[in-house]
Structures are given as structure tokens and as C-alpha cells.
Amino acid sequence: MKILVPIKRVPDPATTIRVLPDGSGIATDNVKWVINPFCEIAIEEALRIKEKQTGEVILLTVGQTTWQEQLRTGLAMGADRAILVKTDAALDQLAIARIIAKVAGDEKPDLVILGKQAIDDDSNQVGQIVAETLAWPQATFASKVEFAGDKCTVIREVDGGLETIAFKLPGLITTDLRLNEPRYASLPGIMKARKKELKEVAADSLGVDLAPKLKIKRLDAPPKRQAGRKVASVEELVQVLHTEAKAI
Amino acid sequence: MSDLLRDLDFFNLDDLLTAEERMARDSVKQFVRREVLPSVEKHFAGETFPKELIPQMAELGMFGANLKGYGCAGMNNVAYGLIMQELEAGDSGLRSFASVQSALSMYAIYANGTEEQKRRFLPEMAKGKLIGCFGLTEPDHGSDPGGMETRARKDGDGWILNGTKRWITNGSIADLAIVWAKVDEGITGFVVERGTPGFSARDIHGKFSMRASITSELILEDVRIPRTAHLPQARGLKAPLGCLTQARYGIAWGAIGAARSCYQCALDYTKSRKQFTRPLAGYQLVQAKLVEMLTEITKAQMVCLRLAHLKDQGKMRPEHVSFAKRNNVNEALEIARHARDMLGANGIVNEYPVIRHMLNLETVNTYEGTFDVHTLILGRDVTGESAFD
């Protein structure tokens, strides 16, 4: 099976994020960049599918030259080749989705699998737009994926339970947290990744409309938590919840 | 408390690393975060080594990572050093395990073995299927390995070994021991396999340090081994010392990891704990300690990176390694003691990793050449006068 895995580079979840004073973005000095954890799960799932069957795992990302590093990490995990669609512009989700759909159109994979959302902007829509653009079936928030011939069965995590759906390939899957536990990039894998193909394509050469439809006006850090206070009795607690917090 | 394994890079040394080197470091860091930290205190308390991690460490390619061929990853020495740093940021015992497997046992065969020995042992050791240990130190000969009493004598087509080795990391869990012994021509090495009649290992208990690591005594009583167990290229004390140079190289890096974990812990703790009117980190005495720690860690990083580049260029001298091991471990121990102090009473409980690192580093300061022995090595180098005896 030929599998396309679009991935995103995000700040390391262990990094402390600081919003710039003017609210235009986050301070990127001393930020460590990693593969979005949901995308890592997508890479792992693609590798497992490939190991069970045969095929090819192709990574794709849209960003600056430095994003190569995350592609190399994915190649070190075991992906076969990678494509970097290069741009210095800050593209919105629609433009990213259009690029992914374009590459999918050219590469003709049987499956596109990607994270359900990125941990930086949490937008949760790229996968859905890609499927719609390609007019492919989509199974989002996958917690289990199985194949029988060209039929794919996906168990989805939905509010209050699980939903099982099936579709015929080609199709698109977005991954949830519990789908798998990604492997580490092994040291021999890192050495092998050196020789794998990493193709760069200029974003504006794809003939895709990249004009942003969405503008981030400003970012604000979460408000500082106020210190709580102690109450003397259950009665007072109920009273305060009723009169001040208006929770009951 | 935020991520205690986070990097400390005051001088942007990351810019001097290749993407592959950073990737190797980050992969091992992630392994330590997910697999080691959750259980390390339990192992330290119970005086057990986390054997369950061996297959994953092998899968990651950590064993013999800087050796070429024979199923080894073939990484450069910068990457190898960074791996040791991250392992020791978890626990010195874990790094010791990797050092003994890679730099002592595998390297002993790699540098002194026949092609047949290399093909037989190294791929299996890289896979973690065979665990090695390194028997040089004896109960009465630590800093003075040349005085060893273990003897090997020719017996027909093979050899007979007699002697005792002590303070042997991995001793009782090892499938094979590299045993150094005296023959008529001087010191040479042998591969003694587990189960060979007359060969046994007994664990040393009651340690207050390196508790998540196995330390044993090896007893050799008329152990008969075949001719093929002899490492033919091992001629003289320089053979085991060559292995020690490899291991000490990794220790110099590893100490940075332990020191870094202590620093990050002390930094977080003093920033969040308020005494009198403000966080502890707002007091001059605390800041002085933090700055001292930062300074020494950064200097140690610079020494190690330069050392790695020299090693990769084939220009590293054993004295360079003595410098780095002596300085970095000594400073790491000081940093751990400071951190212990800064955490106050919390510094003595295993809710924080500091006391564990501090206790471990007492061992690291002693083994693989004590601080004082490295001082003598460097003293001899700068003066031309040996002060060893």
C-alpha cells in the first residue's frame, strides 16, 4: 500500500511557550521543534501498515528548509522518502490542505493518514478539507485501523463511546492519541535516513491558491490563575458555590 | 515541576551539532523520559537493574553505537557522547550498563579480538542478546591494575585461569566476561563465557550508590577455556587501558547529564518555593549557586564537544580524556551536592532525582580512574615526571 503522511513541525510540548509582547506570535528563540505528536502517531500507523503488508510510506510537510529536520526524523523512524513543499509564508489551514491534496493527486497514494490536529493551533480541520478536496472518504479520530483487501475499518473515538466505520480505498484517516505508541528513531535508522530521498518543491510552483483566508489577529497568554481560598465548613462551601460562583 | 530532562544550552552549542547528532540525542532523551524515569526510583530503592529495558536499548542501537560494522550503528563520537549524556540524565547506573556493554566489553573484542571472535560476539552484543562485563579491577588492585594477581597458564591447547575480580558492573547478569590476566609475557585478555566450570559471580550488596546497577565479584577457580577464548591482540596493560579510555570518554559526557538534571531540578524548585517574602531563586545565595552550576555545566559541555571532535579526527589523547573525566565528574558531584542542599529537606527524598544522582556520582568519581589518579596522569603529562609510585 502506498501511504502519504503529511506532518507538521510544532514546538516541543515540554517547552514553555511565551507569547510575544505585541501578541503577533510566540517567541521562537530557545524553542525546540518536534514532529507534532499526533503526526508521529500517523507515521507509526503508516509504518505498521507497511510492515504488515508491503508498500511505501511517503512523508510530506509544508514549511521552511529547516523543517527538513522533522522529515529526517520520520525517515529515521522508517519512512521511505519525503517531500518538503517549501514556503516562507505563513499559510492557513485551507492552503495547507490544498497543497496536501495536490501532492496526493500527483502521488496517487491508497491512503492519506495524518494527525487529527496539531498541538500548536489545535485547528483540527486539515484532514477533513483534504478529504473533501479529493472527494475521498474520511475517518477522523481513529483509535484502531484494520484492512481487508481494499476495505478499511476504523474505530473512532466519539463522545461517550466508540464508532466503527468502514470505507473503500483510497481514503483518508486522522489519528487520535490512543491509536498506537510511536517508535523511537533508532540510531541505525538515523544513519539510514541520511541516504533516503528528500525532495524539495516550491509551494508557489504547484499551481494552488495559497492566499490566506484566515488571519490571526493576536495571541494572548492564558490568564494567570488566581489563588484560591479556604472555607471553614461544607455549609460555607455550598453557600459560596451558590452565591459567588453561581455553580449550584 | 517541568521537564527535568530538558537541554541546557547557554552558548547555543546546538548550532555546532549536526541534525543527525541532535536526532540521536532527542531519540534517547525521549526513551529516558518515557521508559526510564517512571521506574528508576523503584529500581534504585530495590537495588535492581532495569533488565526489561535491554531489548529496547538494543532496538534503539545504543550498544556499540560508535563502532563500525558487526551490526553496530556506526555513529560518530559526538552522537555517542550525547547518548551517554541523556542516559545518565536518567541514571548513572543505566549509563554504566551501556558503557560496560559498549566501550568496555564490545570494544575489548572489537580492538583485540580475531575476526572470528568479532563476528561471533559483536552482532549479538549489539542486539542485547549477549551481555558483557569487564574484569580488570581486583580486591587488592584498583588504581594499580598492573599489580593484578589473576593468572592464566597454558594448558594443552587452551588456558587455565585463576583469580578474583571485584567491582564488576553487570557481573552476575553477563553472558560473557572480558577477563584480564597475567601470563609470562605480561597482561592479556580472555573471553570467559557464563557457565564455564569454575567461573562464578557474586553480587555486592549494601551499596549506597549505583543501586540501579549490578556490581559483582567474579571468581575464577581453575577455569579451563579454549584457545579461541584468548584475545590475541591484547598485549600488555595498554590493551585494557585502551578500553578504559573509551569508557571514560562516555563518562565525561554522562556526568553532564546527571549534573544537568540536578541543575534543572534545583532551578525549578527554587523558582517555585517561597520562603520569607519571595521565591528562593530571588535570593543572592541561591542565584550564586545556580550561576556556578550553569557555568560548570557549560564548560563541561564545551570540553566534551571538543573532545568528541578530536576523537572523530583521531587526534584524541588519553590525557584529554583524563582531563574531561576528572573535571566533569568532579563538577557534576559538586553540582549535585549544591542541588541537594538547595532542595532542603526535599533534597533527601526520592520524590526528586537529586539525591540519587548525588549518591551515584560518588561512584562515578571513583571508578574508571579516580579523580586523584587522573590528576597524576595529567601531572605526568605536563611535568614529564611520574608520581605514581
Side-chain angles (χ1 to χ4, degrees):
Chain A
M1 190 183 302
K2 189 168 172 180
I3 309 170
L4 180 67
V5 190
I7 65 170
K8 186 176 183 185
R9 162 181 159 117
V10 297
D12 188 329
T15 308
T16 313
I17 299 296
R18 283 184 304 115
V19 176
L20 292 172
D22 65 358
S24 64
I26 61 162
T28 53
D29 50 318
N30 287 324
V31 166
K32 204 167 152 180
W33 300 94
V34 297
I35 300 174
N36 174 42
F38 288 105
C39 301
E40 232 181 349
I41 293 170
I43 298 173
E44 176 65 34
E45 197 61 23
L47 293 174
R48 288 186 192 186
I49 295 166
K50 182 191 143 182
E51 282 158 5
K52 259 188 223 156
Q53 315 180 0
T54 52
E56 189 183 22
V57 175
I58 309 155
L59 303 176
L60 165 67
T61 197
V62 184
Q64 300 173 15
T65 309
T66 46
W67 291 41
Q68 278 189 8
E69 235 175 85
Q70 281 63 46
L71 290 174
R72 286 278 174 217
T73 304
L75 291 172
M77 286 172 74
D80 298 288
R81 60 187 169 93
I83 303 165
L84 170 66
V85 175
K86 246 174 89 172
T87 176
D88 289 331
L91 301 181
D92 65 6
Q93 290 82 1
L94 180 60
I96 301 277
R98 281 176 174 157
I99 290 172
I100 294 172
K102 172 74 172 77
V103 174
D106 295 343
E107 288 284 347
K108 299 185 175 46
D110 302 292
L111 179 71
V112 173
I113 183 164
L114 68 168
K116 71 169 182 177
Q117 66 194 66
I119 61 158
D120 52 359
D121 59 20
D122 278 335
S123 77
N124 183 359
Q125 51 180 317
V126 169
Q128 292 87 331
I129 303 174
V130 172
E132 189 60 29
T133 310
L134 292 168
W136 279 11
Q138 56 177 293
T140 53
F141 310 164
S143 67
K144 193 168 184 200
V145 176
E146 269 173 354
F147 290 92
D150 64 350
K151 192 181 137 193
C152 176
T153 306
V154 173
I155 298 181
R156 309 178 62 229
E157 295 195 355
V158 292
D159 281 348
L162 299 172
E163 180 186 37
T164 304
I165 60 172
F167 63 84
K168 255 188 156 180
L169 295 173
L172 179 142
I173 295 171
T174 74
T175 58
D176 216 325
L177 204 59
R178 278 165 287 273
L179 179 57
N180 60 47
E181 198 157 306
R183 68 195 67 189
Y184 305 101
S186 75
L187 307 177
I190 292 169
M191 298 300 282
K192 273 186 213 142
R194 190 188 280 186
K195 296 191 190 85
K196 289 179 179 172
E197 179 191 303
L198 196 162
K199 193 170 79 178
E200 288 190 18
V201 190
D204 49 21
S205 72
L206 293 176
V208 175
D209 177 11
L210 302 176
K213 306 285 185 290
L214 195 72
K215 188 167 182 260
I216 295 175
K217 296 184 82 170
R218 63 174 284 119
L219 294 177
D220 287 300
K224 268 210 166 146
R225 275 186 64 182
Q226 300 295 320
R229 73 176 152 99
K230 281 187 180 163
V231 291
S233 64
V234 174
E235 287 73 22
E236 193 191 341
L237 175 67
V238 173
Q239 180 69 19
V240 167
L241 283 174
H242 182 64
T243 56
E244 290 181 32
K246 301 199 191 306
I248 52 173
Chain B
M1 188 120 327
S2 59
D3 178 23
L4 293 184
L5 294 178
R6 64 191 188 271
D7 291 322
L8 171 61
D9 189 14
F10 194 76
F11 267 85
N12 298 3
L13 294 176
D14 260 25
D15 294 350
L16 302 177
L17 304 178
T18 65
E20 279 169 14
E21 289 158 3
R22 285 196 298 269
M23 212 188 287
R25 176 192 63 195
D26 294 346
S27 211
V28 175
K29 188 194 291 291
Q30 189 73 331
F31 164 79
V32 171
R33 183 181 289 138
R34 284 197 211 147
E35 319 289 341
V36 179
L37 292 190
S39 66
V40 67
E41 295 296 351
K42 184 190 80 190
H43 283 291
F44 190 88
E47 227 180 18
T48 50
F49 174 74
K51 271 202 267 190
E52 64 278 9
L53 297 179
I54 295 174
Q56 269 182 302
M57 292 172 82
E59 183 106 342
L60 263 159
M62 283 183 212
F63 302 139
N66 59 348
L67 303 181
K68 304 252 182 310
Y70 307 102
C72 301
M75 310 256 356
N76 69 14
N77 285 294
V78 178
Y80 178 79
L82 290 165
I83 293 166
M84 295 297 130
Q85 172 186 291
E86 294 310 317
L87 284 178
E88 195 147 359
D91 190 83
S92 299
L94 196 72
R95 202 269 308 134
S96 296
F97 178 87
S99 284
V100 168
Q101 177 76 352
S102 306
L104 294 180
S105 310
M106 290 174 77
Y107 184 81
I109 297 169
Y110 185 82
N112 302 297
T114 60
E115 188 56 34
E116 194 195 334
Q117 287 167 332
K118 291 184 213 180
R119 282 203 201 134
R120 182 174 160 212
F121 293 116
L122 294 179
E124 291 298 295
M125 293 178 84
K127 282 186 218 149
K129 299 267 171 66
L130 288 179
I131 302 305
C133 69
F134 187 84
L136 176 66
T137 299
E138 298 186 354
D140 296 326
H141 302 279
S143 296
D144 170 29
M148 71 172 63
E149 292 165 42
T150 300
R151 291 282 182 280
R153 65 178 160 83
K154 274 241 168 72
D155 177 64
D157 196 26
W159 298 84
I160 291 190
L161 296 181
N162 273 292
T164 307
K165 299 291 178 180
R166 196 167 160 85
W167 308 114
I168 309 306
T169 300
N170 300 350
S172 67
I173 57 169
D175 301 289
L176 58 94
I178 308 295
V179 173
W180 301 95
K182 267 190 185 154
V183 293
D184 291 343
E185 298 82 17
I187 288 167
T188 189
F190 301 89
V191 182
V192 181
E193 294 181 60
R194 183 217 285 274
T196 309
F199 173 52
S200 59
R202 197 166 54 203
D203 286 345
I204 297 169
H205 293 291
K207 293 181 294 175
F208 281 76
S209 174
M210 274 309 173
R211 289 177 57 86
S213 168
I214 303 293
T215 314
S216 319
E217 186 167 63
L218 306 181
I219 299 132
L220 301 125
E221 287 171 328
D222 291 326
V223 178
R224 190 169 197 292
I225 50 172
R227 181 179 52 85
T228 52
H230 181 225
L231 296 170
Q233 307 304 318
R235 296 188 198 99
L237 192 57
K238 67 176 193 305
L241 292 186
C243 301
L244 291 180
T245 298
Q246 301 301 314
R248 289 163 177 172
Y249 169 80
I251 293 170
W253 277 96
I256 300 172
R260 190 189 70 199
S261 286
C262 291
Y263 166 82
Q264 301 289 23
C265 186
L267 179 64
D268 289 353
Y269 185 87
T270 55
K271 277 167 80 173
S272 67
R273 182 168 170 90
K274 267 193 188 160
Q275 291 291 287
F276 306 106
T277 56
R278 54 185 189 274
L280 287 174
Y283 291 95
Q284 291 182 353
L285 285 172
V286 173
Q287 290 190 0
K289 285 177 188 149
L290 288 170
V291 170
E292 192 61 30
M293 293 157 105
L294 167 76
T295 306
E296 291 307 329
I297 291 170
T298 303
K299 282 152 73 176
Q301 288 170 335
M302 290 179 174
V303 166
C304 270
L305 195 53
R306 178 63 187 147
L307 187 67
H309 290 150
L310 287 175
K311 191 170 192 304
D312 278 334
Q313 293 161 13
K315 294 181 192 162
M316 181 183 86
R317 296 192 296 131
E319 288 78 7
H320 290 138
V321 183
S322 286
F323 181 108
K325 195 272 180 187
R326 176 183 180 275
N327 176 74
N328 293 10
V329 177
N330 187 55
E331 294 300 339
L333 182 55
E334 281 300 308
I335 286 165
R337 287 171 178 161
H338 273 312
R340 216 292 309 141
D341 174 57
M342 292 157 82
L343 264 68
N346 283 310
I348 68 161
V349 289
N350 66 3
E351 193 184 330
Y352 298 90
V354 170
I355 184 116
R356 178 168 49 82
H357 283 302
M358 188 193 92
L359 294 169
N360 281 340
L361 286 165
E362 292 288 351
T363 298
V364 184
N365 202 39
T366 292
Y367 74 12
E368 301 264 359
T370 65
F371 179 85
D372 289 342
V373 161
H374 287 299
T375 306
L376 296 184
I377 291 171
L378 291 165
R380 181 180 59 191
D381 194 51
V382 294
T383 64
E385 301 276 352
S386 171
F388 280 92
D389 43 33

